[in-house]
Amino acid sequence: MKKIFPFIILFALLTLLGRELLYANPNKFTTSLAGETVPNFQLNNILSEHQFFNHKDLIGQISLLNVWATWCYACKIEMPMLMEIKEKFHIPIFGIAYKDDPYDVKMWLQKFGDPYRLIGDDKNGNVAIDLGIYGTPETFVINAEGKIIYRHIGVLDRKTWETVLYPLIKKL
Amino acid sequence: MGNRIVSFDKKIMNHLKSFWYLILIFLIYLNCASTLFASEDLYPFHSSSDATRFSSLTKEIRCVVCQNQNLAESNAPLANDLRNKIYYMVLAKQSNSEIESYLVKRYGEFILLKPRFNITTFMLWIFPFAAILISLYRFYMLR
């Protein structure tokens, strides 16, 4: 037993190492904000007739909060999926334009379509920091009480929508 | 004649030496002054304790989008935003633990270069000591 003991420890350590190397998902970030109300914010609304977009607008319906920018290449990739979510699934999507130019945002939405109900102009990135953003795009699932249920980092593609976000929304 | 040339060369060499020393001192001064004044200009504080607190906090917090850099050293846009956030939190007289909790809540324990001791990090802290103790014990037993 004494002779085997070091090998058991070595085996356990190698198993842990193998698990981290092969099965860890580097895109999976945890947020302790899950289950908490969206931090208070008030931003200028870029497009529609509402003057502002604030945290209270997220209360009353299950919605997606998408942090994006026109200068972000990945955001262009997820735009058709966001349009489909709006048109087919009728889930309201709210946007936060991260460190962007409102003019560029308007031009972009004219070109690629507008999936957003309201778009806040987060010029200096303060709201993004309050949400714990690493980069764009990131999408939060918000419940009817305005609480963060899930956070997705990166492009929201069909697979993520069909296997993760939509099943989660259906359960709410 | 030969001696004159030698002494002339020595003089030139001495002048050159002092010239290079002067340049070196000037460069060191410039380096220190620029970092000092730059940080003071960008993040002015009313008290030196706040300035020290800000400086130590930015050194203890990781730039989450960089490879092993703290906030103070990083020029990444996100690091800059986090520095600004910490600056305003320090100005608002929030304590170090409040600022750390705010950041950990959003970016995880990973953001602290020196993780706090709690249920998720206790293995990290205890394992090296446990490993030393076990090896010492085994070493002692084998003798």
Side-chain angles (χ1 to χ4, degrees):
Chain A
M1 182 64 194
K2 268 187 181 177
K3 281 183 182 173
I4 300 172
F5 189 67
F7 289 103
I8 294 175
I9 294 179
L10 184 69
F11 181 72
L13 288 174
L14 284 175
T15 314
L16 276 174
L17 179 70
R19 186 182 160 274
E20 284 303 310
L21 284 176
L22 300 172
Y23 300 107
N25 181 3
N27 291 324
K28 193 185 173 192
F29 290 90
T30 50
T31 175
S32 310
L33 287 177
E36 292 212 12
T37 312
V38 174
N40 293 1
F41 68 87
Q42 170 138 311
L43 296 169
N44 285 328
N45 181 34
I46 294 179
L47 272 186
S48 59
E49 64 278 8
H50 286 80
Q51 201 185 350
F52 297 111
F53 166 37
N54 65 36
H55 56 281
K56 288 176 194 158
D57 293 312
L58 297 167
I59 298 169
Q61 74 274 298
I62 297 161
S63 62
L64 296 181
L65 178 63
N66 179 238
V67 184
W68 68 291
T70 58
W71 44 261
C72 139
Y73 177 73
C75 302
K76 195 172 164 183
I77 300 172
E78 73 171 6
M79 204 42 100
M81 192 65 231
L82 293 180
M83 288 301 291
E84 195 179 321
I85 294 169
K86 180 198 173 190
E87 283 160 8
K88 270 194 187 168
F89 297 89
H90 309 290
I91 309 278
I93 306 170
F94 293 89
I96 289 181
Y98 175 65
K99 292 189 172 179
D100 216 330
D101 182 341
Y103 176 77
D104 291 344
V105 172
K106 284 176 193 168
M107 289 297 110
W108 163 288
L109 295 174
Q110 270 179 22
K111 197 173 170 187
F112 299 108
D114 176 10
Y116 303 107
R117 192 172 274 190
L118 297 167
I119 304 176
D121 179 16
D122 190 16
K123 212 176 274 298
N124 46 25
N126 273 343
V127 177
I129 292 285
D130 275 346
L131 287 164
I133 297 291
Y134 280 82
T136 48
E138 285 194 24
T139 307
F140 294 85
V141 177
I142 314 287
N143 74 5
E145 291 153 26
K147 286 183 177 168
I148 296 171
I149 300 302
Y150 187 80
R151 171 190 189 186
H152 174 73
I153 295 179
V155 173
L156 175 53
D157 55 12
R158 183 171 302 282
K159 191 181 164 204
T160 314
W161 172 250
E162 286 174 355
T163 58
V164 186
L165 267 67
Y166 190 53
L168 191 74
I169 289 172
K170 276 201 287 189
K171 276 188 206 163
L172 289 174
Chain B
M1 182 69 182
N3 281 345
R4 265 191 192 176
I5 291 171
V6 170
S7 65
F8 184 68
D9 279 357
K10 266 189 178 174
K11 269 186 182 173
I12 290 180
M13 284 302 284
N14 283 338
H15 279 305
L16 268 175
K17 259 187 183 173
S18 28
F19 174 72
W20 284 116
Y21 278 130
L22 268 175
I23 294 248
L24 191 69
I25 291 166
F26 178 69
L27 284 176
I28 292 169
Y29 166 77
L30 209 66
N31 187 33
C32 296
S34 63
T35 38
L36 260 175
F37 296 143
S39 58
E40 274 178 15
D41 282 345
L42 279 172
Y43 301 106
F45 287 98
H46 300 301
S47 74
S48 61
S49 68
D50 280 353
T52 319
R53 211 152 64 84
F54 175 73
S55 163
S56 68
L57 272 168
T58 50
K59 280 177 192 150
E60 285 163 12
I61 287 160
R62 188 192 299 274
C63 162
V64 285
V65 291
C66 315
Q67 290 280 348
N68 274 338
Q69 259 189 325
N70 61 26
L71 282 187
E73 289 168 355
S74 172
N75 288 321
L78 184 63
N80 195 35
D81 291 351
L82 285 170
R83 264 199 307 269
N84 289 341
K85 185 76 197 178
I86 293 168
Y87 171 66
Y88 287 112
M89 288 175 96
V90 170
L91 276 189
K93 299 287 174 198
Q94 297 205 34
S95 71
N96 284 11
S97 65
E98 278 174 326
I99 296 171
E100 283 173 4
S101 299
Y102 170 89
L103 294 167
V104 167
K105 197 160 203 176
R106 280 147 184 88
Y107 294 96
E109 208 67 46
F110 170 74
I111 199 166
L112 302 178
L113 283 167
K114 188 181 166 190
R116 298 176 297 184
F117 186 85
N118 59 31
I119 194 137
T120 50
T121 59
F122 82 96
M123 270 298 280
L124 192 70
W125 284 103
I126 284 176
F127 190 77
F129 299 108
I132 290 170
L133 282 177
I134 291 170
S135 10
L136 278 176
Y137 173 73
R138 285 201 55 83
F139 180 70
Y140 178 75
M141 290 297 281
L142 285 174
R143 280 179 77 196

